[in-house]
Amino acid sequence: PIAVIGVGVPVNDALVQRMQRLAALPKAIALATDIGTGAWTPVAANGNGAALVGELAAPKTPLPAEPVMASVDGQENLLLSTPLATPASSRRVIAVLGYPLDEALAAYRPMLISIGILLLGGLAVAVAAAMLIARSVARPIEMLATVTWRIEAGDYTPPPPVTQRDEIGQLSTALGSMARAISEREEHIRYQANHDALTGLPNRQALQEVMAAQSGSGKAALMIVGLTRLQAIVNTVGREVADRLMFDAGARLADYCP
């Protein structure tokens, strides 16, 4: 060889700033080298790049291939380190890039706010729907349950009318019809139990109830009226005429006993 050409490139903060302007790199960038101290030594940095170099493992440890989380000055950063191409006889040089997590998430904050507003709106709609369901379904069902317990206790008062036309309204109407039907049947059974089937007058059971109610009051009197030769009438003209006779006699007695 007839000559040797040497080229020197100053690796300093100005070089890093120029690289950042040309490549649109993050604000935190650093170049570090291994000088045998057991740790990476920054030789040029911008922003808090020098502090990010201190978060790297020892040079003998392989560099992580994916970005890692690093906390610098109380701020979370995405940290990426990558080796640069250097001659075999040269010291190793790495580039360290840091991107603050807050800045990385800044573009998503409006989306997060929108999602939060949507969640709050959905919650409000759900609460309103729950209140509407409670008013339109739960309360009528509770009212019908109360009416059912009242019917079980012997109170056959129909439930108040419901303006709903759905299944709840149909159930309320059916429950009211059932209460009236049970009341009418019980009244009919009670009438049959206390009245004679032929004459319609109170029978012995009714007499015993009246006597028990008036017992000890001194205001009751008992008069017995009988039809003579009733069996002879039955034997002579038949049961139908005898029944007619008893019915007419009962009707005449009822005129005198209001």
Side-chain angles (χ1 to χ4, degrees):
I2 61 175
V4 175
I5 299 176
V7 178
V9 178
V11 180
N12 52 21
D13 294 351
L15 174 63
V16 172
Q17 292 176 1
R18 187 167 183 270
M19 292 172 56
Q20 187 179 30
R21 288 194 304 269
L22 294 176
L25 295 174
K27 295 180 179 180
I29 180 173
L31 296 178
T33 184
D34 178 12
I35 59 176
T37 60
W40 292 104
T41 302
V43 294
N46 189 22
N48 60 349
L52 292 175
V53 173
E55 298 296 324
L56 296 176
K60 294 182 180 180
T61 304
L63 295 174
E66 300 292 336
V68 295
M69 294 296 298
S71 178
V72 178
D73 298 332
Q75 186 179 27
E76 295 292 333
N77 290 264
L78 289 173
L79 177 60
L80 176 64
S81 56
T82 182
L84 300 181
T86 57
S89 60
S90 172
R91 296 189 184 126
R92 290 195 302 162
V93 179
I94 62 173
V96 181
L97 306 178
Y99 197 75
L101 189 60
D102 290 341
E103 294 184 15
L105 298 178
Y108 300 96
R109 287 198 183 98
M111 183 184 300
L112 295 176
I113 294 174
S114 301
I115 293 176
I117 294 175
L118 289 176
L119 289 176
L120 291 177
L123 181 61
V125 172
V127 171
M131 294 178 62
L132 181 61
I133 292 175
R135 177 174 296 179
S136 61
V137 177
R139 290 183 181 177
I141 290 179
E142 290 178 358
M143 182 267 294
L144 294 178
T146 302
V147 173
T148 304
W149 295 333
R150 206 170 60 228
I151 293 175
E152 181 183 5
D155 184 1
Y156 302 111
T157 304
V162 177
T163 57
Q164 296 176 233
R165 301 299 180 185
D166 54 4
E167 291 80 2
I168 301 298
Q170 296 175 6
L171 179 60
S172 177
T173 302
L175 189 60
S177 301
M178 182 186 71
R180 286 187 292 270
I182 294 176
S183 177
E184 292 174 358
R185 281 197 295 270
E186 283 203 359
E187 185 65 28
H188 182 66
I189 293 173
R190 190 179 299 110
Y191 181 86
Q192 288 182 328
N194 293 329
H195 292 77
D196 182 72
L198 179 61
T199 63
L201 298 177
N203 57 12
R204 182 181 296 178
Q205 178 67 27
L207 175 62
Q208 291 176 351
E209 293 179 1
V210 172
M211 295 293 290
Q214 298 295 332
S215 178
S217 64
K219 299 180 181 180
L222 176 62
M223 181 178 66
I224 299 177
V225 179
L227 297 178
T228 58
R229 296 188 296 173
L230 181 60
Q231 187 61 44
I233 295 174
V234 173
N235 296 335
T236 304
V237 296
R239 173 62 65 179
E240 184 176 353
V241 176
D243 290 345
R244 181 64 181 175
L245 175 62
M246 292 181 62
F247 179 82
D248 291 342
R252 293 185 181 185
L253 291 174
D255 292 339
Y256 294 99
C257 300

